[in-house]
PDB file of all heavy atoms in Angstrom:
ATOM      1  N   LEU N 527      49.298 -52.935  53.702  1.00 97.00           N
ATOM      2  CA  LEU N 527      47.961 -53.547  53.569  1.00 97.00           C
ATOM      3  C   LEU N 527      47.510 -54.148  54.897  1.00 97.00           C
ATOM      4  O   LEU N 527      46.369 -53.968  55.320  1.00 97.00           O
ATOM      5  CB  LEU N 527      47.969 -54.577  52.445  1.00 97.00           C
ATOM      6  CG  LEU N 527      46.637 -55.255  52.123  1.00 97.00           C
ATOM      7  CD1 LEU N 527      45.585 -54.249  51.709  1.00 97.00           C
ATOM      8  CD2 LEU N 527      46.809 -56.296  51.029  1.00 97.00           C
ATOM      9  N   THR N 528      48.436 -54.845  55.532  1.00 97.00           N
ATOM     10  CA  THR N 528      48.120 -55.491  56.827  1.00 97.00           C
ATOM     11  C   THR N 528      47.713 -54.462  57.896  1.00 97.00           C
ATOM     12  O   THR N 528      46.750 -54.674  58.619  1.00 97.00           O
ATOM     13  CB  THR N 528      49.338 -56.308  57.324  1.00 97.00           C
ATOM     14  OG1 THR N 528      49.755 -57.146  56.257  1.00 97.00           O
ATOM     15  CG2 THR N 528      48.976 -57.176  58.508  1.00 97.00           C
ATOM     16  N   THR N 529      48.453 -53.347  57.947  1.00 97.00           N
ATOM     17  CA  THR N 529      48.131 -52.357  58.973  1.00 97.00           C
ATOM     18  C   THR N 529      46.873 -51.547  58.644  1.00 97.00           C
ATOM     19  O   THR N 529      46.248 -50.968  59.523  1.00 97.00           O
ATOM     20  CB  THR N 529      49.312 -51.369  59.210  1.00 97.00           C
ATOM     21  OG1 THR N 529      49.707 -50.863  57.956  1.00 97.00           O
ATOM     22  CG2 THR N 529      50.468 -52.052  59.871  1.00 97.00           C
ATOM     23  N   LEU N 530      46.511 -51.529  57.351  1.00 96.00           N
ATOM     24  CA  LEU N 530      45.253 -50.876  56.963  1.00 96.00           C
ATOM     25  C   LEU N 530      44.049 -51.729  57.329  1.00 96.00           C
ATOM     26  O   LEU N 530      42.969 -51.231  57.569  1.00 96.00           O
ATOM     27  CB  LEU N 530      45.243 -50.596  55.445  1.00 96.00           C
ATOM     28  CG  LEU N 530      46.134 -49.457  54.946  1.00 96.00           C
ATOM     29  CD1 LEU N 530      46.290 -49.508  53.434  1.00 96.00           C
ATOM     30  CD2 LEU N 530      45.560 -48.093  55.368  1.00 96.00           C
ATOM     31  N   LEU N 531      44.264 -53.037  57.315  1.00 97.00           N
ATOM     32  CA  LEU N 531      43.153 -53.957  57.538  1.00 97.00           C
ATOM     33  C   LEU N 531      43.146 -54.533  58.955  1.00 97.00           C
ATOM     34  O   LEU N 531      42.739 -55.678  59.183  1.00 97.00           O
ATOM     35  CB  LEU N 531      43.202 -55.101  56.510  1.00 97.00           C
ATOM     36  CG  LEU N 531      43.020 -54.699  55.036  1.00 97.00           C
ATOM     37  CD1 LEU N 531      43.161 -55.908  54.113  1.00 97.00           C
ATOM     38  CD2 LEU N 531      41.673 -54.024  54.797  1.00 97.00           C
ATOM     39  N   LEU N 532      43.584 -53.736  59.923  1.00 97.00           N
ATOM     40  CA  LEU N 532      43.534 -54.200  61.318  1.00 97.00           C
ATOM     41  C   LEU N 532      42.127 -54.011  61.868  1.00 97.00           C
ATOM     42  O   LEU N 532      41.466 -53.012  61.599  1.00 97.00           O
ATOM     43  CB  LEU N 532      44.541 -53.401  62.167  1.00 97.00           C
ATOM     44  CG  LEU N 532      46.023 -53.759  61.985  1.00 97.00           C
ATOM     45  CD1 LEU N 532      46.900 -52.862  62.833  1.00 97.00           C
ATOM     46  CD2 LEU N 532      46.277 -55.228  62.336  1.00 97.00           C
ATOM     47  N   TYR N 533      41.669 -54.983  62.639  1.00 96.00           N
ATOM     48  CA  TYR N 533      40.334 -54.889  63.249  1.00 96.00           C
ATOM     49  C   TYR N 533      40.280 -53.779  64.293  1.00 96.00           C
ATOM     50  O   TYR N 533      39.301 -53.052  64.415  1.00 96.00           O
ATOM     51  CB  TYR N 533      39.975 -56.212  63.925  1.00 96.00           C
ATOM     52  CG  TYR N 533      39.675 -57.333  62.942  1.00 96.00           C
ATOM     53  CD1 TYR N 533      40.033 -58.635  63.232  1.00 96.00           C
ATOM     54  CD2 TYR N 533      39.004 -57.068  61.750  1.00 96.00           C
ATOM     55  CE1 TYR N 533      39.746 -59.681  62.360  1.00 96.00           C
ATOM     56  CE2 TYR N 533      38.711 -58.097  60.871  1.00 96.00           C
ATOM     57  CZ  TYR N 533      39.096 -59.409  61.184  1.00 96.00           C
ATOM     58  OH  TYR N 533      38.797 -60.409  60.307  1.00 96.00           O
ATOM     59  N   ASP N 534      41.357 -53.659  65.089  1.00 94.00           N
ATOM     60  CA  ASP N 534      41.398 -52.677  66.174  1.00 94.00           C
ATOM     61  C   ASP N 534      41.591 -51.291  65.580  1.00 94.00           C
ATOM     62  O   ASP N 534      42.651 -50.949  65.064  1.00 94.00           O
ATOM     63  CB  ASP N 534      42.564 -53.031  67.122  1.00 94.00           C
ATOM     64  CG  ASP N 534      42.548 -52.178  68.386  1.00 94.00           C
ATOM     65  OD1 ASP N 534      41.815 -51.182  68.402  1.00 94.00           O
ATOM     66  OD2 ASP N 534      43.250 -52.559  69.361  1.00 94.00           O
ATOM     67  N   THR N 535      40.560 -50.458  65.682  1.00 92.00           N
ATOM     68  CA  THR N 535      40.621 -49.142  65.032  1.00 92.00           C
ATOM     69  C   THR N 535      41.723 -48.251  65.610  1.00 92.00           C
ATOM     70  O   THR N 535      42.172 -47.330  64.938  1.00 92.00           O
ATOM     71  CB  THR N 535      39.262 -48.406  65.160  1.00 92.00           C
ATOM     72  OG1 THR N 535      38.881 -48.401  66.533  1.00 92.00           O
ATOM     73  CG2 THR N 535      38.188 -49.063  64.344  1.00 92.00           C
ATOM     74  N   ARG N 536      42.118 -48.548  66.853  1.00 93.00           N
ATOM     75  CA  ARG N 536      43.168 -47.718  67.446  1.00 93.00           C
ATOM     76  C   ARG N 536      44.540 -48.063  66.872  1.00 93.00           C
ATOM     77  O   ARG N 536      45.465 -47.284  66.928  1.00 93.00           O
ATOM     78  CB  ARG N 536      43.171 -47.892  68.974  1.00 93.00           C
ATOM     79  CG  ARG N 536      41.969 -47.252  69.630  1.00 93.00           C
ATOM     80  CD  ARG N 536      41.794 -47.769  71.041  1.00 93.00           C
ATOM     81  NE  ARG N 536      41.752 -49.240  71.043  1.00 93.00           N
ATOM     82  CZ  ARG N 536      41.691 -49.980  72.145  1.00 93.00           C
ATOM     83  NH1 ARG N 536      41.692 -49.388  73.317  1.00 93.00           N
ATOM     84  NH2 ARG N 536      41.629 -51.287  72.066  1.00 93.00           N
ATOM     85  N   LYS N 537      44.653 -49.314  66.364  1.00 95.00           N
ATOM     86  CA  LYS N 537      45.944 -49.720  65.814  1.00 95.00           C
ATOM     87  C   LYS N 537      45.998 -49.546  64.304  1.00 95.00           C
ATOM     88  O   LYS N 537      47.071 -49.549  63.709  1.00 95.00           O
ATOM     89  CB  LYS N 537      46.209 -51.189  66.170  1.00 95.00           C
ATOM     90  CG  LYS N 537      46.455 -51.392  67.646  1.00 95.00           C
ATOM     91  CD  LYS N 537      46.995 -52.782  67.929  1.00 95.00           C
ATOM     92  CE  LYS N 537      47.229 -52.948  69.423  1.00 95.00           C
ATOM     93  NZ  LYS N 537      46.857 -54.316  69.852  1.00 95.00           N
ATOM     94  N   ARG N 538      44.846 -49.394  63.648  1.00 95.00           N
ATOM     95  CA  ARG N 538      44.817 -49.214  62.201  1.00 95.00           C
ATOM     96  C   ARG N 538      45.600 -47.948  61.852  1.00 95.00           C
ATOM     97  O   ARG N 538      45.448 -46.924  62.504  1.00 95.00           O
ATOM     98  CB  ARG N 538      43.367 -49.096  61.738  1.00 95.00           C
ATOM     99  CG  ARG N 538      43.120 -49.545  60.313  1.00 95.00           C
ATOM    100  CD  ARG N 538      41.643 -49.487  59.983  1.00 95.00           C
ATOM    101  NE  ARG N 538      40.847 -50.508  60.646  1.00 95.00           N
ATOM    102  CZ  ARG N 538      39.532 -50.412  60.849  1.00 95.00           C
ATOM    103  NH1 ARG N 538      38.864 -49.353  60.426  1.00 95.00           N
ATOM    104  NH2 ARG N 538      38.856 -51.386  61.458  1.00 95.00           N
ATOM    105  N   ILE N 539      46.411 -48.005  60.796  1.00 96.00           N
ATOM    106  CA  ILE N 539      47.300 -46.888  60.472  1.00 96.00           C
ATOM    107  C   ILE N 539      46.475 -45.673  59.990  1.00 96.00           C
ATOM    108  O   ILE N 539      45.433 -45.832  59.358  1.00 96.00           O
ATOM    109  CB  ILE N 539      48.359 -47.339  59.417  1.00 96.00           C
ATOM    110  CG1 ILE N 539      49.506 -46.344  59.287  1.00 96.00           C
ATOM    111  CG2 ILE N 539      47.709 -47.586  58.060  1.00 96.00           C
ATOM    112  CD1 ILE N 539      50.703 -46.896  58.525  1.00 96.00           C
ATOM    113  N   SER N 540      46.965 -44.468  60.294  1.00 93.00           N
ATOM    114  CA  SER N 540      46.270 -43.256  59.864  1.00 93.00           C
ATOM    115  C   SER N 540      46.784 -42.835  58.473  1.00 93.00           C
ATOM    116  O   SER N 540      47.798 -43.340  57.991  1.00 93.00           O
ATOM    117  CB  SER N 540      46.547 -42.115  60.850  1.00 93.00           C
ATOM    118  OG  SER N 540      47.914 -41.739  60.745  1.00 93.00           O
ATOM    119  N   ALA N 541      46.072 -41.894  57.864  1.00 91.00           N
ATOM    120  CA  ALA N 541      46.477 -41.434  56.524  1.00 91.00           C
ATOM    121  C   ALA N 541      47.880 -40.808  56.593  1.00 91.00           C
ATOM    122  O   ALA N 541      48.734 -41.109  55.751  1.00 91.00           O
ATOM    123  CB  ALA N 541      45.453 -40.458  55.985  1.00 91.00           C
ATOM    124  N   GLU N 542      48.111 -39.958  57.571  1.00 91.00           N
ATOM    125  CA  GLU N 542      49.420 -39.299  57.686  1.00 91.00           C
ATOM    126  C   GLU N 542      50.533 -40.296  57.864  1.00 91.00           C
ATOM    127  O   GLU N 542      51.562 -40.210  57.212  1.00 91.00           O
ATOM    128  CB  GLU N 542      49.468 -38.307  58.865  1.00 91.00           C
ATOM    129  CG  GLU N 542      48.804 -36.998  58.616  1.00 91.00           C
ATOM    130  CD  GLU N 542      47.341 -37.047  59.000  1.00 91.00           C
ATOM    131  OE1 GLU N 542      46.837 -38.159  59.236  1.00 91.00           O
ATOM    132  OE2 GLU N 542      46.719 -35.968  59.022  1.00 91.00           O
ATOM    133  N   ALA N 543      50.302 -41.241  58.791  1.00 95.00           N
ATOM    134  CA  ALA N 543      51.343 -42.224  59.071  1.00 95.00           C
ATOM    135  C   ALA N 543      51.610 -43.086  57.832  1.00 95.00           C
ATOM    136  O   ALA N 543      52.745 -43.431  57.538  1.00 95.00           O
ATOM    137  CB  ALA N 543      50.939 -43.088  60.254  1.00 95.00           C
ATOM    138  N   SER N 544      50.542 -43.394  57.082  1.00 95.00           N
ATOM    139  CA  SER N 544      50.773 -44.274  55.946  1.00 95.00           C
ATOM    140  C   SER N 544      51.533 -43.565  54.823  1.00 95.00           C
ATOM    141  O   SER N 544      52.257 -44.213  54.068  1.00 95.00           O
ATOM    142  CB  SER N 544      49.466 -44.884  55.434  1.00 95.00           C
ATOM    143  OG  SER N 544      48.486 -43.909  55.333  1.00 95.00           O
TER     144      SER N 544
END
Side-chain angles (χ1 to χ4, degrees):
Chain N
L527 182 60
T528 309
T529 51
L530 286 166
L531 296 177
L532 286 177
Y533 289 144
D534 188 346
T535 51
R536 290 163 307 176
K537 291 192 181 142
R538 208 176 288 158
I539 194 166
S540 70
E542 281 90 349
S544 46

